[in-house]
Amino acid sequence: MWGRAARRRCPQGLRRGREALLVLLALLALAGLGSVLRARRGARESEPGPPRSPRSGRRDPVLPRPPVPQDALGARGEAVQLQLQGEELRLQDESVKLHQINIYLSDRISLHRRLPERWNPLCKEKKYDYDHLPTTSVIIAFYNEAWSTLLRTVYSVLETSPDILLEEVILVDDYSDREHLKERLAGELAELPKVRLIRATKREGLVRARLLGASVAKGQVLTFLDCHCECHEGWLEPLLQRIHEKESAVVCPVIDVIDWNTFEYLGNSGEPQIGGFDWRLVFTWHVVPKRDRMRMRSPIDVISFGQWFLNQCWLLEEAGREKASWLKKQAEAGWVLEGDTRAGEKRAFGELQDARVAFIWQCGGTLETHPCSHVGHVFPKQAPYSRSKALANSVRAAEVWMDEFKELYYHRNPHARLEPFGDVTERRQLREKLQCKDFRWFLENVYPELHVPEDRPGFFGMLQSKGLKDYCFDYNPPNEHQIVGHQVLLYLCHGMGQNQFFEYTSQNEIRYNTHQPEACIAVDTGMDMLIMDLCKETTPENQKFILQEDGSLFHVQSNKCVQAERKAFSDSFVPRLRDCTNSEHQKWFFKERML
């Protein structure tokens, strides 16, 4: 029955065989703030079905937004800083400790606040054929979420989404144990139109919880939102319009930051950033490449990259032939990588997405961000829940999709080689059946901005001192968003890669290329301290080092050598430039891993 309903909704030519669903399930594991994927046409072209007939429905939002006094706390997305002391301050600190979000403040901000406009003014001029756009089911999975952030998310969807486009909002309780999420929540949601609540019978994890919602969804497009989001006016129409125009596109909104402590909405109406990853397989943000910017005819054209929307049409057409619970069974059988991306911690968020952004491209899809769609997201102070599967997920991704380039990942994550990751034979077979392109093609054609390290044997890993035994170069900037300008230090070698991984290149650079953008060791003129600066296309003189046969590290511009020594008035050690001698403290060697 479920499958027949799907076939009635979907155009002809979208049936690709059951194996393709596994790709979709893998893509579902990527979902961060929300995801929609448009169905690809099958290998055999066929005549499209008849156009969708106009349907009834209002273009106004499902619910009108009640008025909020302009002087109310955070009423227009402005920052709020409460002046607290005593018991009130203690309660605020407790809320942050529990949720990694300032819930004490959130509880005092209206659930119906209006965000300031943060889109390009040209977005207001866009017109939509509402009668022919697909409908969507918005799925919000949660686990022990705070009352105000969860309800603000729900109201935000209902008060910004056109009634004619929003089929339903499905909340999936991933086995929460907090009292306010039991009868009280059920009663609150029962009063809201188009809202359903389903509950898992055991802790599933974010991805499987979302699959539970997907298995009962009625809309033609699945939209996954995190449980502490706020939708900007007009967020939904651009995404559905793009999916309607291009079946192979995966489209995502611009993700605006909502400050976890002040609840300030930090939306940006300028050019959005696009996503990528570094060689640790950690998600990163980048400016739009020049080649993509040159292809844009308008500042509100879609931009390549993104991964947030999955089309119900494709999903149901492939899975619905048997029964709705098939999705959940596939998840329980291990087809879906388990994990949880609900925190704002970049590392964890990225490890579920990481290089899988490449796989959509490798298998024939495209990834896009729509500048006219904005969704605000509260990125927590740090991860509120553990992610025991995060490393295994990254290893599985590397093993299935990265071909020989997986070694670059392992070099920067030596401990990943020891991580159990299960049997990926069937995933590799699926990749072959779908005739997906190799990872080299992705690097050359989709992500040429990503520098591919040389990693020549004997010239990468820990850069260790011969004289100061067991001490290695170490660089750990206090802010991952400001990677340059800090001093390189010496710490005990730990063999875990990451902040102690360096590469000596054929261009005489010492690259710190676990992060993006990549940084190179440099020495400012007249100084003796080693710092980080951005790598350049042509190596500047102050970044040139020669690693000589005797192990000395010679800095070209200063004609001095790098020496390990104790930092003044400290028990720590640093590398500095000194006149060259034959001292063992001026001798260095690369070591790939701890023995």
Side-chain angles (χ1 to χ4, degrees):
M1 226 170 23
W2 203 48
R4 288 196 296 274
R7 283 192 287 273
R8 284 198 299 270
R9 285 199 298 268
C10 297
Q12 297 293 321
L14 295 181
R15 303 169 192 173
R16 298 195 51 203
R18 192 160 152 187
E19 298 89 353
L21 176 63
L22 302 183
V23 173
L24 280 173
L25 294 178
L27 295 179
L28 277 168
L30 306 177
L33 295 176
S35 214
V36 181
L37 171 62
R38 184 58 172 174
R40 267 184 81 191
R41 291 197 178 277
R44 295 177 299 177
E45 290 295 330
S46 62
E47 291 299 320
R52 187 182 296 115
S53 58
R55 59 180 180 271
S56 60
R58 298 180 304 111
R59 298 181 183 182
D60 294 331
V62 176
L63 286 180
R65 192 191 305 271
V68 177
Q70 290 196 6
D71 59 351
L73 292 177
R76 298 296 182 269
E78 65 273 17
V80 179
Q81 293 180 320
L82 301 175
Q83 304 301 315
L84 304 176
Q85 56 185 350
E87 179 67 7
E88 290 181 324
L89 181 59
R90 185 188 68 80
L91 291 173
Q92 177 175 268
D93 292 344
E94 279 189 0
S95 76
V96 173
K97 184 177 180 180
L98 182 61
H99 296 281
Q100 298 302 312
I101 295 173
N102 188 348
I103 298 301
Y104 184 88
L105 172 59
S106 176
D107 291 344
R108 285 151 180 78
I109 293 175
S110 171
L111 301 179
H112 309 280
R113 72 171 182 169
R114 183 183 298 274
L115 299 180
E117 289 190 0
R118 288 293 187 270
W119 55 4
N120 190 298
L122 293 175
C123 295
K124 280 188 170 184
E125 301 176 10
K126 290 182 69 69
K127 306 296 181 184
Y128 301 99
D129 184 2
Y130 286 84
D131 290 336
H132 294 92
L133 292 182
T135 61
T136 185
S137 295
V138 174
I139 299 169
I140 302 168
F142 65 91
Y143 171 71
N144 282 347
E145 182 67 19
W147 178 266
S148 58
T149 48
L150 179 60
L151 266 293
R152 190 176 294 113
T153 302
V154 175
Y155 280 115
S156 174
V157 172
L158 295 176
E159 293 168 2
T160 58
S161 303
D163 180 70
I164 194 172
L165 301 180
L166 184 66
E167 180 72 31
E168 60 192 344
V169 178
I170 301 173
L171 274 80
V172 184
D173 176 10
D174 190 17
Y175 210 55
S176 300
D177 56 19
R178 293 182 184 156
E179 195 60 34
H180 67 271
L181 297 174
K182 302 300 182 182
E183 291 185 9
R184 180 186 173 194
L185 179 63
E188 179 81 11
L189 298 180
E191 301 297 320
L192 299 178
K194 298 193 174 188
V195 177
R196 289 197 283 163
L197 173 64
I198 62 175
R199 299 190 189 272
T201 56
K202 62 182 179 69
R203 184 81 165 95
E204 296 283 0
L206 180 61
V207 171
R208 293 177 181 173
R210 285 173 168 169
L211 284 176
L212 285 176
S215 70
V216 300
K218 300 175 183 177
Q220 294 156 323
V221 169
L222 301 176
T223 305
F224 296 89
L225 287 180
D226 209 342
C227 51
H228 29 259
C229 287
E230 294 182 60
C231 300
H232 189 283
E233 297 288 342
W235 73 284
L236 186 57
E237 293 96 317
L239 301 174
L240 297 180
Q241 176 66 33
R242 182 57 178 164
I243 289 170
H244 181 62
E245 292 170 351
K246 186 179 181 183
E247 294 178 340
S248 63
V250 179
V251 193
C252 89
V254 177
I255 304 165
D256 294 325
V257 173
I258 298 175
D259 188 272
W260 66 266
N261 192 34
T262 67
F263 274 77
E264 181 181 9
Y265 176 64
L266 300 171
N268 180 10
S269 60
E271 182 179 86
Q273 291 185 312
I274 62 173
F277 57 89
D278 59 33
W279 289 105
R280 300 169 300 163
L281 299 190
V282 172
F283 183 85
T284 56
W285 290 109
H286 303 274
V287 297
V288 178
K290 182 179 179 180
R291 59 190 174 88
D292 287 333
R293 194 180 294 112
M294 292 177 64
R295 284 199 294 261
M296 296 173 64
R297 294 169 297 176
S298 163
I300 61 173
D301 280 354
V302 292
I303 304 167
S304 292
F305 184 84
Q307 62 236 34
W308 272 278
F309 272 100
L310 285 201
N311 187 325
Q312 176 84 315
C313 207
W314 190 6
L315 193 64
L316 296 185
E317 192 66 29
E318 304 304 333
R321 295 173 184 165
E322 298 185 12
K323 51 187 175 179
S325 61
W326 193 81
L327 276 174
K328 184 172 182 291
K329 288 182 179 179
Q330 290 300 310
E332 291 172 345
W335 291 118
V336 178
L337 302 179
E338 185 176 5
D340 192 333
T341 58
R342 67 183 76 224
E345 184 183 18
K346 176 178 280 192
R347 172 76 53 87
F349 180 59
E351 281 172 346
L352 276 179
Q353 300 183 65
D354 48 61
R356 295 183 194 91
V357 304
F359 312 154
I360 298 173
W361 290 95
Q362 284 175 258
C363 295
T366 62
L367 300 172
E368 302 174 350
T369 296
H370 204 303
C372 288
S373 176
H374 286 246
V375 173
H377 179 253
V378 184
F379 289 91
K381 181 181 180 182
Q382 62 184 36
Y385 308 110
S386 65
R387 287 176 188 77
S388 59
K389 302 289 186 180
L391 180 58
N393 287 345
S394 292
V395 175
R396 289 168 70 89
E399 288 290 332
V400 175
W401 295 99
M402 293 183 69
D403 307 321
E404 70 272 20
F405 295 95
K406 68 183 180 183
E407 289 303 315
L408 300 180
Y409 163 73
Y410 284 126
H411 291 164
R412 286 149 185 79
N413 296 276
H415 56 295
R417 293 186 187 273
L418 306 177
E419 181 72 13
F421 60 88
D423 186 0
V424 296
T425 302
E426 293 193 48
R427 288 181 179 270
R428 288 171 174 159
Q429 292 173 346
L430 173 63
R431 172 183 164 177
E432 185 176 348
K433 287 180 183 179
L434 295 176
Q435 299 180 345
C436 301
K437 293 181 172 66
D438 60 28
F439 198 72
R440 182 179 297 276
W441 173 89
F442 170 78
L443 292 172
E444 292 175 352
N445 294 276
V446 179
Y447 200 5
E449 293 78 24
L450 182 64
H451 171 77
V452 179
E454 299 172 1
D455 281 13
R456 299 174 298 157
F459 294 99
F460 68 86
M462 295 171 285
L463 186 49
Q464 188 168 346
S465 169
K466 286 186 178 180
L468 191 62
K469 294 187 183 300
D470 299 326
Y471 274 78
C472 289
F473 272 41
D474 190 291
Y475 188 68
N476 195 13
N479 187 337
E480 280 201 355
H481 301 290
Q482 298 176 351
I483 199 170
V484 301
H486 302 285
Q487 184 177 7
V488 180
L489 305 175
L490 295 174
Y491 277 106
L492 287 170
C493 306
H494 55 55
M496 302 295 286
Q498 304 288 337
N499 57 303
Q500 288 191 358
F501 183 93
F502 295 86
E503 178 201 8
Y504 182 66
T505 74
S506 59
Q507 304 302 309
N508 302 121
E509 309 158 299
I510 303 177
R511 279 186 175 250
Y512 175 66
N513 58 15
T514 52
H515 293 61
Q516 285 291 319
E518 292 189 15
C520 286
I521 294 180
V523 181
D524 289 339
T525 303
M527 305 296 288
D528 61 10
M529 181 173 65
L530 276 62
I531 61 171
M532 282 293 174
D533 199 357
L534 291 179
C535 301
K536 307 296 191 298
E537 188 171 343
T538 301
T539 309
E541 291 299 304
N542 73 327
Q543 291 184 8
K544 282 186 179 180
F545 293 83
I546 297 177
L547 183 58
Q548 303 183 115
E549 288 188 8
D550 65 354
S552 58
L553 194 55
F554 180 76
H555 183 243
V556 173
Q557 187 181 62
S558 65
N559 290 316
K560 294 187 176 183
C561 292
V562 179
Q563 176 172 303
E565 59 183 53
R566 185 184 298 275
K567 194 174 183 179
F569 310 108
S570 171
D571 292 330
S572 60
F573 297 89
V574 293
R576 290 190 183 276
L577 291 187
R578 294 291 184 251
D579 291 333
C580 296
T581 66
N582 200 33
S583 168
E584 287 293 288
H585 284 74
Q586 291 188 0
K587 305 295 175 61
W588 305 86
F589 64 97
F590 278 97
K591 188 175 181 180
E592 181 179 346
R593 65 188 73 174
M594 302 289 283
L595 299 178

